[in-house]
Amino acid sequence: MHYDFDRRIDLRSTDCARWRTYDEDVIPLWVADMDFASPQPVIRALQERVACGVFGYPEGVSGKPTDNLELRQVIVERLESLYRWQVSPEEIVFMPGVVTGFNLACQAVAEPGGAVLVQPPVYHPFLEAPHNAGLERQDAQLTRLPDGSYEIDFDVFSSKLTGQTRMFLLCSPHNPVGRVFRGDELLRLAEICLQRGVLICSDEIHCDLAYSGYQHIPIASLDPEIARNTITLMAPSKTFNIPGLQFSFAVIQNPELREVYQKSSRGLAGWINTLGWVAAQAAYQEGQEWLEQVMAYLQANRDYLIAYVRDELPGISMASPQGTYLAWLDCRSSRAGEMMGGKQDPSAFFLQNARVALSDGAMFGAGGEGFVRLNFGCPRSRLAEALERMKAALEP
């Protein structure tokens, strides 16, 4: 079927946080969910389940590897088809969310004096997760190139690892800078971690959102030894726009590591709600047609945004995202990048002067001040309206 992503849906009348946080005259392009209706098979599956009217404890409550075998097999087949990555059903661990997943990973390696390495500027819960587990956070900042893209400085990465480093928390594809890492980059990261005895936890929630010319590679798929040293986190939430249903999973192929990880919840992480199971299975089994159409639309939105920033927003620059529906805008040389209240806060400038809500780059850690993150997962007319407002705000 044909999906209409130009259709504007009234989300302010729902409980959508992105739309309920700001005043009605603000265009919200901040939180990373999309304005598009989810695939029709997902909606239909949810409607059929709700029609039953009984919502008892779901099958996954026990956490046994024999629970939800059909969904496990769907995921196994998907990983093989997309990435030629062979996993077994029992190597999949379900959980309510990827943020929960990497916080559990930090709990699993927690010990006095331990540390976790991250690569800022990065999704802000990465910056908080080590501290939540009583661990130190170590930063190996990504290097920004003259064209606005980012790369890994492997000398910096290696130098930041210490005898206290217990885990490297990888964001792949990277939020907010939009990198889809190449196989050689991932292999080098993994080899350094293996040599130094550092576990890898890889948040790959944006794995399905790589644009034409780029291919996501799960770091654990590179080599069996790397797989034994890696916790991989994935979810259908960003892909099919169902984050509110709280479904994700980890792939942990080392049985000893999997046991430690599952014990790390200490009774704090709950099971998946019934509708989360239903939506995930329908999305993975029947959502591909929708995904292909939404990726074409997002890529066109991305290209429209790049051209508009280049031609119409003086002093602002951005590199083309290789994946995700998030743009990382450098506002430091623009009017929006001028000091406000003793710091660069272009998000506050655009909220005040354009009535457009963006994510403040400073929240993503080192290298983020003076930047904003913009979510272009919306109807193009809404994106165009927001950009026109930003253009007007930048005029002297």
Side-chain angles (χ1 to χ4, degrees), residues 142-319:
L142 293 172
T143 299
R144 188 172 185 270
L145 302 178
D147 66 357
S149 63
Y150 286 77
E151 69 176 11
I152 301 164
D153 186 322
F154 291 98
D155 291 333
V156 169
F157 181 83
S158 186
S159 70
K160 294 294 183 177
L161 295 173
T162 69
Q164 285 69 50
T165 311
R166 297 292 171 262
M167 188 170 70
F168 164 44
L169 190 50
L170 170 65
C171 190
S172 176
H174 194 282
N175 170 12
V177 308
R179 274 298 316 278
V180 175
F181 295 113
R182 302 185 308 271
D184 62 295
E185 294 174 295
L186 295 169
L187 183 60
R188 191 167 178 188
L189 286 173
E191 288 174 341
I192 294 171
C193 289
L194 285 172
Q195 291 165 4
R196 304 288 287 274
V198 173
L199 181 71
I200 299 168
C201 179
S202 184
D203 172 358
E204 303 186 10
I205 195 171
H206 292 101
C207 60
D208 297 309
L209 302 174
Y211 293 111
S212 177
Y214 302 95
Q215 172 64 48
H216 173 70
I217 302 171
I219 192 169
S221 71
L222 294 171
D223 179 85
E225 187 178 5
I226 296 171
R228 287 186 57 80
N229 193 52
T230 301
I231 298 167
T232 303
L233 304 172
M234 293 180 168
S237 53
K238 303 295 185 185
T239 307
F240 300 102
N241 205 32
I242 50 174
L245 295 178
Q246 290 287 279
F247 174 94
S248 69
F249 62 92
V251 178
I252 310 175
Q253 296 182 276
N254 181 332
E256 291 80 16
L257 176 59
R258 189 164 63 250
E259 182 179 1
V260 171
Y261 182 83
Q262 290 176 298
K263 288 180 178 178
S264 68
S265 68
R266 301 184 177 91
L268 298 176
W271 56 83
I272 311 300
N273 75 75
T274 296
L275 298 184
W277 295 113
V278 170
Q281 186 157 330
Y284 282 148
Q285 287 183 314
E286 303 178 76
Q288 188 61 31
E289 182 180 39
W290 182 93
L291 178 56
E292 291 173 0
Q293 292 182 40
V294 82
M295 286 302 297
Y297 192 90
L298 289 172
Q299 185 157 317
N301 266 10
R302 179 200 65 175
D303 295 344
Y304 175 85
L305 172 62
I306 291 168
Y308 196 99
V309 169
R310 181 191 63 228
D311 299 336
E312 305 292 344
L313 300 186
I316 296 181
S317 62
M318 62 173 286

Side-chain angles (χ1 to χ4, degrees), residues 103-116 130 132-135 166 266:
N103 272 277
L104 289 181
C106 288
Q107 294 288 343
V109 301
E111 59 181 49
V116 172
N132 292 342
L135 296 161
R166 297 292 171 262
R266 301 184 177 91

